[in-house]
């Protein structure tokens, strides 16, 4: 059975002190909780990953990185490799976030390389993709999403999907307060599963967790997560407050 996942993408927020505090609060908030098949992940900035890993040990909280470089090592000033993440106990990496695509020029081809590097190092990948507002207005959202998935992931064999989580994040809903309706999310998630099934068969399609991301809040999480093909959320703004994040985790 595929897992539900609630993952908090902290982006460029929280210094060391704030990281310690928020990790502690989240740990505490889920300690006695029956998480009902739900994994809970937070993704702090690179400099605070080691602290977050240390401080979430022996708890139900997992830690992910927000990005990584595709090369093993070498002259890539300012970059971080999969191996480095692994060496501090990180097991999951977010790749393809729309902010990485928009502000740092990450293309599907580059992301395919990053996915390969992550999987080769036995890191789990939370792979993000989603259409822009203009795509949706033009009725092209399915074609765009299909292209992003095919270009970055369809070179993989079926076995690789044991370590892939998909995160559908319509760009127009990220950090805007505008959320896809539960029906829009369900329609797209069902389409994504159909696309996976056409390439890899039903077993793979049914086993991959597909998260929704885009202005998920305590007030709308329950309805979005109630949809059959929505297996959780990638949460930005609302993951920065322990109380809101906890309310979203327990929305399942
Ligand atoms: C995100 O950055 O992945 C995200 C979904 O952000 P927000 O929840 O703030 O829209």
């Amino acid at each position: 059975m595929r897992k539900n996942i609630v993952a908090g993408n902290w982006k460029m927020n929280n210094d060391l002190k704030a990281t310690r505090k928020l990790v502690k609060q989240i740990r505490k908030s889920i300690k006695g909780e029956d998480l009902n098949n739900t994994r809970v992940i937070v993704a702090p900035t690179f400099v605070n990953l080691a602290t977050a890993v240390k401080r979430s040990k022996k708890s139900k909280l997992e830690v992910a990185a927000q990005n990584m470089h595709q090369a093993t090592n070498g002259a890539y000033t300012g970059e971080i490799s999969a191996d480095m993440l692994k060496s501090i106990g990180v097991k999951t990496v977010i790749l393809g976030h729309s902010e990485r695509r928009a502000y740092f020029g990450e293309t599907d081809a580059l992301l395919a390389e990053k996915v390969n590097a992550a999987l080769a190092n036995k890191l789990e990948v939370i792979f993000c993709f989603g259409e822009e507002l203009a795509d949706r207005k033009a009725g092209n959202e399915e074609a765009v999403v299909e292209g992003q998935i095919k270009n970055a992931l369809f070179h993989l064999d079926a076995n690789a999907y044991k370590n892939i989580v998909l995160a559908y994040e319509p760009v127009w809903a990220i950090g805007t307060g505008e959320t896809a309706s539960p029906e829009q999310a369900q329609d797209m998630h069902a389409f994504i599963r159909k696309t996976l099934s056409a390439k890899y068969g039903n077993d793979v399609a049914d086993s991959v967790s597909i998260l929704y991301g885009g202005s998920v809040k305590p007030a709308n999480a329950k309805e979005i997560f109630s949809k059959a093909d929505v297996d959780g959320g990638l949460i930005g703004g609302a993951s920065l407050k322990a109380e809101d994040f906890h309310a979203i985790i327990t929305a399942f």
Side-chain angles (χ1 to χ4, degrees), residues 5 11 34 41 73-74 93 128 153 162 166-167 174 177 197 225 247:
I5 299 173
K11 311 191 184 186
D34 174 6
I41 304 175
N73 61 349
V93 60
C128 308
L153 300 179
K162 289 186 181 129
L166 298 179
I174 296 179
S197 174
F225 294 172

Side-chain angles (χ1 to χ4, degrees), residues 37 142 176 197 224:
N37 192 40
E142 289 188 349
T176 58
S197 174
I224 296 171

